[in-house]
Structures are given as structure tokens and as C-alpha cells.
Amino acid sequence: MFWGGREGYESLLNTDMALELDNLARLYRMAIDYAKEIGFDAQFLIEPKPKEPTKHQYDFDAATTIAFLRKYGLENHFKLNLEANHATLAGHTFEHEIRVASINGMLGSLDANQGDLLLGWDTDEFPTDLYATTLTMYEVLKAGGLGRGGVNFDAKVRRGSFEPEDLFHAHIAGMDAYAWGLKAAARLIEGKVLDAFVEERYRSFREGIGADIVAGRATLASLEQYALQNKPIRNESGRLERIRAALNEAIFGV
Amino acid sequence: MFWGGREGYESLLNTDMALELDNLARLYRMAIDYAKEIGFDAQFLIEPKPKEPTKHQYDFDAATTIAFLRKYGLENHFKLNLEANHATLAGHTFEHEIRVASINGMLGSLDANQGDLLLGWDTDEFPTDLYATTLTMYEVLKAGGLGRGGVNFDAKVRRGSFEPEDLFHAHIAGMDAYAWGLKAAARLIEGKVLDAFVEERYRSFREGIGADIVAGRATLASLEQYALQNKPIRNESGRLERIRAALNEAIFGV
Amino acid sequence: MFWGGREGYESLLNTDMALELDNLARLYRMAIDYAKEIGFDAQFLIEPKPKEPTKHQYDFDAATTIAFLRKYGLENHFKLNLEANHATLAGHTFEHEIRVASINGMLGSLDANQGDLLLGWDTDEFPTDLYATTLTMYEVLKAGGLGRGGVNFDAKVRRGSFEPEDLFHAHIAGMDAYAWGLKAAARLIEGKVLDAFVEERYRSFREGIGADIVAGRATLASLEQYALQNKPIRNESGRLERIRAALNEAIFGV
Amino acid sequence: MFWGGREGYESLLNTDMALELDNLARLYRMAIDYAKEIGFDAQFLIEPKPKEPTKHQYDFDAATTIAFLRKYGLENHFKLNLEANHATLAGHTFEHEIRVASINGMLGSLDANQGDLLLGWDTDEFPTDLYATTLTMYEVLKAGGLGRGGVNFDAKVRRGSFEPEDLFHAHIAGMDAYAWGLKAAARLIEGKVLDAFVEERYRSFREGIGADIVAGRATLASLEQYALQNKPIRNESGRLERIRAALNEAIFGV
């Protein structure tokens, strides 16, 4: 696991970012060569984080890390270890980061903590928000699991939780929250709670002009032709409020 | 209800803030005088909001509004109408704002929407987060209710939820979430789920030197005397992780 | 100087905020009594900070601290020590915080550092932004100076600036920036660069109905009368872009 | 210019992000084919923006857009149109975004406005901050210019600046600020003000083991050998405070 916590800059004013990124790629190549040499077959991982301790870290988020790996032809040697609180510091939900990694074939492993969205630093709290654990496990199940990665809390107790007993409570709270989230995610998938909405919303891409677009048969000219036929298009609601109520029903029985 | 949405500044560079605040107080006094004159007995309310549309609004949050009202001797004529998404834009939880108003005798009414903490503007979403609705109703019940105020959603559907049907789903989702939160809050209070922790944590203020402090009998000299006696003080954990697990148990049965 | 850095909460769930604020006031009263007893005549100061290390600190910003002091009748015994980076963490410019303190008669002292507005924690950088130092000194000059307070950097060098020499460079950079800002602020005041715009913008409050409002002679009835006369009101621009260009002209000669 | 302002999601719950990104790539391919067909030789541009109006836009920032283009093999057909206020909404400085585009060969064009870093939405202000215009033009000059792109303000006057005259002042203020920034950037480059620090800081990569790393001659084994020789390494300061003072000297003569 490469945690690039110090791979970033304090200020662009004194930084040769191009050289630093080239060097980072060189280090990764050396590691790949060395692993090959000694027959080391583990999964190499990179953990994105946007900032802290530096002002700006090179592996800002999943997309930035993927852009980097593709530039240097390293994308087949690495997967991502995503962390919930790093996602939120970068301005994303954890689900978003997992989805980005997953649809790019880069989902590797998870640091399953939680942050405080009203604070601007990494709090690494034990995860207890059941919405978050459910949606995280939902993305993982949809992605077909984590492959050779795992779920690690990377969490710590608070300044005011300094007794050994707190570590027990915290681990139990976190494990229960993730176990519960896994079961809730399974219920969501089995009941097609979200899939039903998504399939309905995108159904126009499974027939007619939509299917042509997806199959790569459409051109600007054919789309122009279609538009000129002036067939009425009925916009439809994305039903977000109904979906959020359905989520409360499905995961909490409310 | 005075919603000071335009009472703020775009830039301090061209603003006479002292005059504007004086004028705001003058307007409030005129309103009080007029209400008296016509025998109007409703509760005057002010709704804090930190920004949007202006860069900085005078009634930034509950504490700022209270400071203003006290400066001009208006605190007995007004209470606060607090809004969830305004709280988060100001860097506070909704619970925090309600608590601040409540312990200052200024809790008036609620705009019970929800925002997106990863976005920096007022989204005014219908409330569906059951943690939030539970903790909001918990603060309201602890405060002895809202007096002459009420709970208003002040929410709108999304850009992608534009059909009349969405309004039904949204209101049902919001009402269900608040009704459920009210019942969960009542369970928390009846079961003393949080009170038990709080009472234990502050018990040192109910006896000995702590009780002296609270009763106003302590001085720096008496505290020095106490400290010099060198009685061992055992710090104790705030048990936050245990409390969060207890919250999941009590409100979701997890 | 009371720096309430630990006076705040990690979570409302286990916090008796009312008791903690009462206790804070009790401590301040003990300090006032003790100072009187020993004939200590220094200026008591409180330094607002919104968060860090706690999630939420009681002295969040100038307005919150003023609300607190007024509640407990302590406002005549304290002034505020404002810090630039604490202002920005609270969502305010430093100028805003100084203005709030100044118009409430509470300006005491300054921690003249600077933060990074893209980061969410206190970086305590040495001040080098000449816009910021100019506008800070502008507010101080307009307030008639700092009384018994002073200007303290409360800044530290960076993780990558660890040699003794860096401390020299940093102090020189900060002092130069503030000295330059003081002179630029004096030029702004002498040239009435901003005052001219402000006086023009608020001139309607110096005559007619505006003067009546300011003098407290207006009522809702007299305003209604005025409005019914239907005199045309010409809205006027706040000229913010012109002002910003004037600022560049006046302070940088651009 | 493709401004993907609506290409994003309100919520992942009802979104098939993989399909939407595939469709976006299909549209871009159709546009490329059509341009070829009609002999249209302009530069295609994409403008990254992290959010607003949607919660999360697909072209979040420069790196995200580059990752997307590389996935679909479109990187040779597009360059980026970067906007200052979009950069800051994504958590980056404008300089950072230009540098990222530049070192990836993707710098196309600029929307040279400015935002308010204490606000969370796109304010599109006319640029007047001379630090910002200087550092922006510095990156552009270092990148060898903008190629077939240009500098466009994409700015608007404020709610309180509604008279035609304000548009004149705003454009003059913005043009002056950028013209001044260009000249200041040229002075920085000619005087090697920043380059001198950067060259010194990275000089260890131009000789010995550092040169071996850059040339790709180093392996983990050769680095181990080097480390075992135990040659003393002297860490050196990045001199950020000195650099910031030098910047004030060079661009403002302070």
C-alpha cells in the first residue's frame, strides 16, 4: 500500500510538480520490477488523499490517481485503497469514489472510517452512520466485491475517549455498523429498490434512437434527422424524494 | 417573521455596517410599536442565515442574532426561526443552533429542511435523514417544545423532480421522517439514553468543589487551596463511541 | 488573554452546553474579582476560534463571544483578541471580525497571521498578503487604534521551513507586510478612497425621510405616508468593480 | 467549447454513471467525426467544473477530465478551458489547474474570473486580485502560451452593480489587472525570481544518485546500495517565507 501522505506540495511557488510526478512514477516502476524479481504477487495499492499534511497532494482523489496511472502506463499494476474521510475532504461522497474506481476497474480496498463534514481535517472516526455503511457496501456488492483488498477501519478514538475500554466500544460500533450495512445493502439489491428506479430512468437507451447511441450507430447527422422528425419527448422526473423515502423504508423499515 | 435575506453586505469596502445594523434595529422598533398600537399579539421571529444572496448576512446564526438583539434591547420581543440548511451553511449542526437558541430562551420556530454538506449553497431539500430528524426533535422536546412557533419544511423538490407527483412524495417523505424522529426522540428521553451519559459525565459538579463552583461559592483563592491539597483527579472518557452505538441501538434497534 | 481553545465540545450528544457556558462565566467572574483584589489593571481579552481542537468552540467568532459576554453582564470587563485565521475558519474575513468588534466597542488586540482559504485547519502562516494587511490596518485605523492591545503574529513557519534562518525571513516578511499595509491604509484614509464611495452610497440617510429614520422620528405610519406619495426612487449602483480598481490604484499604483 | 454544466448527477441513487460517461464519450466521438467530415479545424475544448447546478459534475477538475479523456482515447482531440472560480470550487488554486493541464499537454484556454473563497458557489467576479493575475500569467508564460485558446473573463457584475457604467468599470478593472499580471509575470521569469529557488531546491536530481533516478538507471537494489553507504543527507528548507517576500518585492516593489 502506497500512502502518498507526503507526496504533495506546500506551495506551487517552490515546486517542480512535473519532476515530482515523474519521480513518483519511477518509484512505482522500481517497485513493480522488484516485485517481479522476487516473485511477490500481492496487489499494489495507492491511497488517494487531497491534502493534509501538505496543502495539495498529488493523489487528490480516485480520478486524479487514475489520470496519473494512465499517463505513465501503470494502470494494470495498481488498484485504489479508498478512504471515506479522504473522499469527503476532496468534496466527494465515499460512494462516489468507490463508483469512480469501480467503473474504471480500479477498486482495490477500503479504509472504512467516517469524517465530520463540518470540519476540514481528517478526523478518522469509527464508522457508525448506517446510511453511509449501507451505501458503501451497496457499491462494493454492485462492484462484485473487493477482489484482493479488504475493509480496514483506519479509525481512531477521540481526544476525549482515551480509556482502553473506548477501543472496544469503537470497534464493536464500527463492525456492527458495517455488518448491518452489508445486510441492508443485500436487501436493497435483492429487492431491486434502487435498480428499479435506475432501469426505468435509463430505459430510453435500450430501444430506438437510445439503443443506436449506445451501440455506436448514431452520428450527429442521424441525431439531427431524428430531432427534425419532431417526435414529442416527455421528460420524466428522477423521483429523488420517492427514492429517499424508499431507502428509509428498505433499510430502516420506516 | 423577518427573513433578513437581503440584510447583509456584498463587500465591506462599500458598506457602513454600523449604520445598517442601527437601521435594522430601528425597523424592528417601529414594527414593535405598530404591533402594540394595533394590538397584534403574534410572536415576532428572525431567521438567521449566514450568506446567500449576499456574501455576509447580518443575522449570520443564532448567536450573532442574539448578540444583535441584546445590543439594542430587543431580546424580549423576538424569538428565532431556525433553518437546518442555514445552520450547516454557517458551520453548525441544526442541533447546535437549536441548543443555542434554547439555552438563551430564544427558540421560536423551525424550518425543517436539510442541506447537502458537500455543497456550499442552500439546497432546501425535504428532510429524510432520520438521524437529523431524531436529534432535531430531541432538542425540541428537551426545550419543552416550540411555544408559539411550528415546524415548516421550507423545502423544494429538485431540478430533476418537476412533476406534481414529486411534491406528494416529498411531503410524505418529510412528514414521515419527522414523525419518526419525534417518536425516536421520545424513546431517547424516556430511556434516558443520552441523559444517563451526560449526568454521569458532569456528576462532579453536583458535589464538593464542583457544587461550590456551580453555586458561585468558589473563588480563585479557594480553587488554589483545593488544587494545593493535591487530591488525585481521575479523568474519565466521554464515551462518544459507546454513545453513538447506543444511539443506533435506541433509534434503529441495531 | 483567555484562549478558549479547549472550551468547546466534541459532540453535543454528551455535552451539557448550558452548564459549561455558565461555568465559563463563573471562571471569568472569579478572574475579575481576583484582579480587583490584587489591583491588576491589565485588559482582559478573549480570543474567538470556531473549532480545532474541538468540533465546536463556545467562542466561535466575535459575535458569538459578544452574545455570551452580554448574557452574563461581562461585556465591560473584556475585549476581543481577534486572529486572522480564526476569522476565516469561521467563514468571515478578518476585516469583518474587526469591524464587528469595533462597532460593539470590543476591539482589543490582533493575532495577525494568515490562513489558506482552501484548507480547513489553522495554518498560522506569517502574513504576506498585502491586500489583507492593508484592509486589516484600515479597520484598525478607522477604529481609532487598538487601545491597550497590540499586533502579535501568532504564526509559525511551515513543515518545510525548518532552519533558524527561516524564522528571520518569516518575521521580516510579516513585519514588512504589516508596515506596508499600515502606510497603504493611511493613504486610503487620507485620500478618502473608500470613504467617498461610502458617503455617497448612504447619503440618503442624511436628509429627508432617511434623516428621519436615523433620528428615530420615523414610524411605520410615517413611512407608509411617504411611500404613498410615490416619489420616484432611483436605485444606484454600489460600484464594487470601480472600488476594487480604485483599491489597486491607491495601494499598488496600478 | 463543451461546457458540461448539466453533465453530472443530483444523486448517485438514481444515476447510472458508467452509462452516462460512455454516452458523453460517444457524443465527443460524433463531434470529432463531424468536424472531420466538414473540415472544421478549431480546437475542441472541455471546461471542468466540480458542481453547480448539479451536485457532482463529471468533469470535476483538470485531472478528472484528463482521466476521462484517456480512458476513451480522446486525449488528442481535446484541450481544457480552465476557469478560476471552478478551480477554487474544486479545492484547487487556479495556478494548480493550469499546471496540471500544462504538464499533461492539455492547456487550451482560460476563463479568467475570480471567486470568493469564503463562498461555496460560482460568483464569476471580474478579476482584480493582482497576486492571482500574476500567478496565472506566470503559469501561462511558463507553459509557452495558450496555443489556439484565449483569455475570456466569463465574469459578471454583482447584484448591486446594475448600471451600464459598471460593465465599463468592471472590464477595465479586469483588463488592467491581467495586463499588469502579465508584465509582473514577465519580470518574475526574467529575474528568475522563482526559478532560482526551484532550481536550487531540486539540484540533487541533476547529479549523482538523483541524476540516476531521473535517467531511469536506478533500481530499488541500487538505491538500497546507496542508502547502505550511509552518506549524510542534509535536508534543506524550502524557504517559503523568503519566497513570499521575494514575490512581494518583485511584483509590488515592497
Side-chain angles (χ1 to χ4, degrees), chain B residues 48-176:
Chain B
K49 190 179 183 191
K51 51 191 163 191
E52 202 197 12
T54 66
K55 172 190 167 65
H56 211 292
Q57 297 188 195
Y58 297 131
D59 296 324
F60 188 84
D61 59 7
T64 304
T65 310
I66 292 170
F68 166 82
L69 291 170
R70 285 194 182 126
K71 178 177 184 182
Y72 294 97
L74 295 166
E75 67 269 38
N76 294 328
H77 299 280
F78 286 87
K79 291 199 185 302
L80 303 180
N81 180 52
L82 299 168
E83 175 165 333
N85 204 163
H86 294 182
T88 49
L89 286 172
H92 312 300
T93 60
F94 198 23
E95 306 92 83
H96 171 88
E97 286 290 89
I98 301 173
R99 183 80 66 98
V100 167
S102 161
I103 67 181
N104 283 285
M106 300 295 287
L107 180 58
S109 200
L110 298 184
D111 276 13
N113 57 21
Q114 75 185 9
D116 186 318
L117 271 69
L118 292 172
L119 300 179
W121 64 88
D122 204 10
T123 58
D124 286 338
E125 302 172 28
F126 279 88
T128 57
D129 183 303
L130 300 174
Y131 287 105
T133 60
T134 300
L135 293 177
T136 298
M137 292 315 295
Y138 184 79
E139 293 295 328
V140 170
L141 291 180
K142 287 295 236 178
L146 285 170
R148 295 202 284 170
V151 177
N152 162 44
F153 285 141
D154 194 11
K156 55 180 188 284
V157 288
R158 308 292 86 202
R159 182 188 284 261
S161 306
F162 55 86
E163 300 186 50
E165 189 182 329
D166 293 308
L167 281 169
F168 283 89
H169 290 309
H171 279 85
I172 292 166
M175 281 187 284
D176 278 0

Side-chain angles (χ1 to χ4, degrees), chain A:
Chain A
M1 231 292 293
F2 291 87
W3 177 73
R6 264 103 191 146
E7 308 305 331
Y9 61 78
E10 170 74 30
S11 168
L12 263 185
L13 297 174
N14 63 2
T15 299
D16 185 343
M17 194 164 126
L19 175 59
E20 295 209 0
L21 288 168
D22 285 352
N23 280 346
L24 196 56
R26 288 175 187 122
L27 175 68
Y28 289 148
R29 278 200 206 101
M30 291 183 212
I32 293 167
D33 290 345
Y34 183 66
K36 208 169 161 185
E37 195 184 316
I38 64 170
F40 180 70
D41 180 41
Q43 174 65 57
F44 279 123
L45 295 165
I46 296 180
E47 180 172 329
K49 189 180 183 190
K51 52 192 162 189
E52 201 197 16
T54 66
K55 173 190 167 66
H56 211 292
Q57 299 190 193
Y58 297 131
D59 297 325
F60 188 84
D61 60 6
T64 304
T65 309
I66 291 170
F68 166 82
L69 291 170
R70 285 194 182 125
K71 177 176 184 181
Y72 295 98
L74 295 166
E75 67 270 37
N76 295 328
H77 298 280
F78 286 88
K79 291 199 185 302
L80 303 180
N81 180 52
L82 299 168
E83 176 165 332
N85 205 164
H86 295 181
T88 48
L89 286 172
H92 313 302
T93 60
F94 197 22
E95 306 92 82
H96 171 87
E97 286 290 270
I98 301 174
R99 183 79 66 99
V100 167
S102 161
I103 67 182
N104 283 283
M106 300 295 286
L107 180 58
S109 199
L110 298 183
D111 277 13
N113 57 21
Q114 75 185 10
D116 186 317
L117 271 70
L118 291 173
L119 300 179
W121 63 88
D122 204 10
T123 58
D124 286 336
E125 302 173 27
F126 279 88
T128 56
D129 184 303
L130 299 174
Y131 287 104
T133 61
T134 300
L135 293 177
T136 297
M137 293 315 295
Y138 184 79
E139 292 296 328
V140 170
L141 291 180
K142 287 294 234 179
L146 285 170
R148 294 201 285 171
V151 176
N152 163 43
F153 285 141
D154 195 11
K156 55 181 190 286
V157 288
R158 307 293 86 201
R159 182 188 282 262
S161 306
F162 54 86
E163 300 186 49
E165 189 183 328
D166 293 308
L167 281 169
F168 283 89
H169 290 310
H171 279 85
I172 292 166
M175 282 187 284
D176 279 359
Y178 258 89
W180 195 91
L182 174 62
K183 292 199 284 186
R187 285 200 304 276
L188 287 177
I189 289 174
E190 283 155 15
K192 287 179 67 73
V193 176
L194 300 176
D195 283 338
F197 285 103
V198 173
E199 281 171 24
E200 173 68 11
R201 192 173 180 216
Y202 291 89
R203 71 173 192 282
S204 68
F205 288 104
R206 291 195 299 274
E207 58 189 25
I209 187 81
D212 285 349
I213 290 171
V214 169
R217 283 188 302 263
T219 62
L220 284 196
S222 76
L223 292 180
E224 182 196 27
Q225 273 305 103
Y226 182 82
L228 289 173
Q229 290 169 26
N230 241 334
K231 285 185 191 161
I233 291 170
R234 198 170 70 83
N235 280 327
E236 289 173 39
S237 164
R239 293 274 178 269
L240 189 54
E241 291 76 14
R242 178 71 195 90
I243 291 171
R244 285 185 175 156
L247 203 67
N248 276 342
E249 271 173 68
I251 70 181
F252 297 119
V254 172

Side-chain angles (χ1 to χ4, degrees), chain D residues 17-82:
Chain D
M17 194 164 127
L19 174 59
E20 295 208 359
L21 287 168
D22 286 351
N23 280 346
L24 196 55
R26 287 175 186 122
L27 175 67
Y28 289 146
R29 278 201 206 101
M30 290 183 214
I32 292 167
D33 289 345
Y34 183 66
K36 208 169 160 184
E37 196 185 315
I38 64 170
F40 179 71
D41 181 40
Q43 174 65 56
F44 280 123
L45 295 165
I46 296 180
E47 179 171 328
K49 190 180 183 191
K51 51 191 163 190
E52 201 197 13
T54 66
K55 172 190 167 64
H56 211 292
Q57 296 187 194
Y58 296 132
D59 296 325
F60 187 84
D61 59 8
T64 304
T65 309
I66 292 170
F68 166 82
L69 291 170
R70 286 195 181 124
K71 178 177 184 180
Y72 295 98
L74 295 166
E75 67 270 38
N76 295 329
H77 298 280
F78 286 88
K79 292 201 186 299
L80 303 181
N81 180 52
L82 299 168

Side-chain angles (χ1 to χ4, degrees), chain C residues 8-140:
Chain C
Y9 62 77
E10 170 74 31
S11 168
L12 263 187
L13 297 174
N14 63 2
T15 299
D16 185 342
M17 194 163 126
L19 174 59
E20 295 209 359
L21 287 168
D22 285 351
N23 280 346
L24 196 55
R26 286 173 188 126
L27 175 67
Y28 289 146
R29 278 200 205 102
M30 290 183 214
I32 293 166
D33 289 345
Y34 184 66
K36 207 170 162 184
E37 194 184 316
I38 65 169
F40 180 71
D41 181 41
Q43 175 65 58
F44 279 122
L45 294 164
I46 296 179
E47 179 171 328
K49 189 180 184 191
K51 52 191 163 190
E52 201 197 14
T54 66
K55 173 191 167 64
H56 211 292
Q57 297 188 195
Y58 296 131
D59 296 325
F60 188 85
D61 59 7
T64 304
T65 309
I66 292 170
F68 165 82
L69 291 170
R70 286 194 182 126
K71 178 177 184 181
Y72 294 98
L74 295 165
E75 67 270 37
N76 294 330
H77 299 280
F78 287 88
K79 291 201 186 299
L80 303 181
N81 180 52
L82 299 168
E83 175 165 332
N85 205 164
H86 295 182
T88 48
L89 286 173
H92 313 301
T93 59
F94 197 23
E95 306 92 83
H96 171 87
E97 285 291 270
I98 301 173
R99 183 80 66 100
V100 168
S102 163
I103 66 182
N104 283 283
M106 301 295 288
L107 180 58
S109 201
L110 297 184
D111 277 13
N113 57 21
Q114 74 185 10
D116 186 318
L117 272 68
L118 292 173
L119 300 180
W121 63 89
D122 204 10
T123 57
D124 286 337
E125 303 173 27
F126 278 87
T128 57
D129 183 304
L130 299 174
Y131 287 105
T133 60
T134 301
L135 293 177
T136 297
M137 292 316 294
Y138 185 80
E139 293 295 328
V140 169

